[in-house]
Amino acid sequence: MKYVKSQMKHLVKDNKDLQKRLKEIMEEHSLERPLALKALYHAEVAAGGKYKSAYQELDPPKE
């Protein structure tokens, strides 16, 4: 699975919990939004987090 910024933005836009977590990451680590978004992806999606399936549904793999 690959990080796609537009997919991650869409996932966060539709989920209040992820919006809150993104703000926490930005404040806690003093990161700009693009870097915090990528960190959120690695923490909540790529590592087998509970948002992995929702992320994959946004753009199904092309055959």
Side-chain angles (χ1 to χ4, degrees), residues 3-53:
Y3 172 76
V4 178
K5 186 177 179 179
S6 60
Q7 279 181 249
M8 196 60 196
K9 279 183 169 182
H10 187 71
L11 184 65
V12 170
K13 180 182 173 187
D14 294 341
N15 189 300
K16 295 289 184 192
D17 291 333
L18 286 178
Q19 290 174 14
K20 181 180 175 186
R21 184 71 178 117
L22 179 64
K23 287 180 184 180
E24 289 172 357
I25 289 172
M26 289 172 67
E27 291 173 6
E28 186 176 324
H29 299 286
S30 300
L31 293 174
E32 296 294 323
R33 185 175 176 89
L35 290 176
L37 200 59
K38 197 165 192 175
L40 182 65
Y41 165 80
H42 287 288
E44 302 292 341
V45 177
K50 65 181 181 177
Y51 299 103
K52 183 177 182 176
S53 61

